[in-house]
Amino acid sequence: METLNFRFENGRRPLSATPQLVGVVSSGNLEVLIEPLPLNGACEIEIRTAANGFGATWQAVMTDFHERWQLQDTRICINDMGATPAVVSLRLDQAAETMTGGLP
C-alpha cells in the first residue's frame, strides 16, 4: 500500500455541498471522498493505492484534474484498488460535479 499527497494552491472554485462519496473500492476501481475544508484556497488530495510505484502517473492525473476544476478549500481522499488513469479522472469528475453543480 502506498500513500501519496498532493496540494494545489490558488483554487478559484468553491464547493457548495456537504461531503460526497463517489465510486466503490473494488478491483480496478476506487472511491473518492470530497469535502469542503478551509485550506486558504488550496486543494489537498490524499491517495491510498494498492498499486505501488505510480507516483508520476498520479501526479499527472491530479495536475490535469486541478487545472480543469480549480477547486478551492477542498480535501479529496482517494482509496484505490488499481484503477486506470481514465477511471480515476472519471471518478474525480463525478465527485467535483456533485459538489459544484456543473462541468469544469
Side-chain angles (χ1 to χ4, degrees):
M1 203 68 167
E2 184 173 13
T3 301
L4 304 167
N5 291 285
F6 300 98
R7 182 178 170 99
F8 299 95
E9 303 293 339
N10 304 317
R12 297 186 317 250
R13 192 172 194 178
L15 301 182
S16 60
T18 58
Q20 297 289 317
L21 183 65
V22 175
V24 62
V25 178
S26 64
S27 180
N29 209 335
L30 68 137
E31 70 179 2
V32 175
L33 172 65
I34 185 170
E35 60 187 331
L37 193 69
L39 296 170
N40 294 319
C43 177
E44 293 183 346
I45 304 171
E46 179 182 84
I47 302 159
R48 294 185 190 118
T49 179
N52 294 330
F54 290 92
T57 302
W58 280 103
Q59 174 72 53
V61 173
M62 295 305 105
T63 299
D64 177 68
F65 171 75
H66 179 69
E67 288 174 356
R68 283 185 287 117
W69 286 94
Q70 295 288 315
L71 297 179
Q72 72 180 35
D73 296 325
T74 302
R75 177 165 166 71
I76 299 172
C77 295
I78 298 172
N79 293 314
D80 171 57
M81 288 299 290
T84 65
V87 171
V88 173
S89 291
L90 171 71
R91 293 285 178 246
L92 283 168
D93 285 347
Q94 287 174 330
E97 284 177 19
T98 65
M99 297 294 283
T100 63
L103 299 172

